[in-house]
Amino acid sequence: MSLPSIKRVLLKLSGEVLMGGQQFGIDPEFVSELAKEVKAAKETGLEICLVIGGGNIFRGMAGAAKGMDRAQADYMGMLATVMNALAMQNALEQLGVQTRVQSAIEMDKVCEPVIRRRAERHLEKGRVVIFAAGVGAPYFTTDSGAALRAAEMRCDALLKGTSVDGVYDSDPKYNPAATRFDTVTYDKVLADNLKVMDASAVALCRDNKIPIVVFSIREKGNLARVLAGEGVQTIVQDS
Ligand code: UDP
């Protein structure tokens, strides 16, 4: 099964892919490689919204597990996503791709606030819009932020570029017999608690009929292959 033709996508990158080969933080060389993939995708005529996680820097749950107040830790996580957004903005603009960062937590010295109609205008003008700080509220993740922005920007698909090459029936790290789905329904993902995105993000995509494409962004050229309907991926959609 392949995707219907897509004109506008929301690309969600996990923060951890920005680490490249490092254990923490941002590897500017690898971010530059990712930016080349985004540029190539844009040159095919796509309109691109980007959401980047913050897990390479800070996750609220990890802070809470060590005794921090969860909401406070989540705000730190959201700030981490803004740093990642600025790193990606820098890499894209060094390649000549025009971008705007819009943050759900306002910080007018470094980026715009999220304003949907302004984001529309940016896309019309050929800019990549990077949405930072998730939904702007604690107890959420950037997956939910990605689903929300995909819905409000009326994206044709949510592409989740991560470290694994799709959705498996069990964790391939621990089960060598785990099998990858080519396609799977939203309801199965939710019922079986499959590791795709958090449940609220999956439900939002289901309710708005936004297909989710899970693929590995670590392999060079994979984003282009996935957009061409080739390569290894899992598509989550209604049957
Ligand atoms: N976060 C949040 N609300 C949001 C988005 C993110 O509180 O709407 C916080 C949360 O603590 C999360 C952290 O930001 O753990 C980093 O985001 P995420 O874990 O989604 O990053 P990823 O796993 O994609 O790198």
Side-chain angles (χ1 to χ4, degrees):
M1 198 181 291
S2 64
L3 286 172
S5 79
I6 48 180
K7 189 173 177 309
R8 180 179 291 181
V9 291
L10 184 305
L11 174 62
K12 156 79 208 288
L13 301 179
S14 322
E16 63 178 24
V17 299
L18 271 61
M19 300 190 299
Q22 301 173 179
Q23 295 301 309
F24 175 82
I26 299 170
D27 175 352
E29 273 179 36
F30 196 73
V31 177
S32 179
E33 290 303 314
L34 292 171
K36 283 180 197 157
E37 303 258 329
V38 175
K39 182 181 183 191
K42 207 187 150 298
E43 281 169 353
T44 67
L46 271 186
E47 293 179 339
I48 300 182
C49 303
L50 257 179
V51 167
I52 307 176
N56 54 321
I57 300 171
F58 197 81
R59 277 204 182 92
M61 293 263 267
K66 291 186 179 159
M68 285 187 74
D69 173 71
R70 169 75 192 265
Q72 181 82 350
D74 277 342
Y75 277 108
M76 291 172 64
M78 285 183 261
L79 296 181
T81 73
V82 180
M83 292 175 66
N84 285 338
L86 295 181
M88 179 55 80
Q89 175 173 47
N90 177 75
L92 282 167
E93 299 221 327
Q94 282 180 344
L95 296 173
V97 179
Q98 290 302 306
T99 66
R100 291 292 186 274
V101 174
Q102 293 200 344
S103 172
I105 295 177
E106 292 185 23
M107 43 185 97
D108 59 9
K109 292 286 188 290
V110 292
C111 58
E112 298 179 356
V114 176
I115 300 175
R116 186 179 64 82
R117 296 175 72 96
R118 195 186 278 184
E120 281 283 349
R121 189 84 186 106
H122 292 321
L123 293 174
E124 280 167 20
K125 288 189 168 179
R127 298 171 183 146
V128 170
V129 182
I130 308 172
F131 291 104
V135 304
Y139 296 93
F140 284 93
T141 66
T142 48
D143 283 345
S144 292
L148 171 65
R149 302 301 168 216
E152 69 173 335
M153 297 306 295
R154 298 187 311 277
C155 293
D156 301 311
L158 192 165
L159 308 191
K160 175 158 170 152
T162 183
S163 304
V164 285
D165 60 2
V167 182
Y168 285 76
D169 58 358
S170 57
D171 193 336
K173 260 194 237 161
Y174 304 104
N175 179 10
T179 321
R180 189 182 52 76
F181 296 98
D182 282 334
T183 138
V184 60
T185 63
Y186 305 105
D187 287 342
K188 183 166 176 65
V189 166
L190 292 171
D192 295 0
N193 200 15
L194 299 175
K195 302 244 173 311
V196 181
M197 301 202 300
D198 53 71
S200 54
V202 175
L204 196 54
C205 287
R206 178 191 61 191
D207 296 349
N208 291 285
K209 302 197 180 330
I210 302 167
I212 306 166
V213 184
V214 184
F215 68 103
S216 168
I217 189 78
R218 287 191 180 274
E219 291 148 51
K220 239 182 177 165
N222 224 12
L223 176 58
R225 279 193 288 278
V226 164
L227 287 167
E230 299 157 5
V232 180
Q233 60 193 295
T234 297
I235 303 177
V236 185
Q237 58 188 2
D238 279 328
S239 53

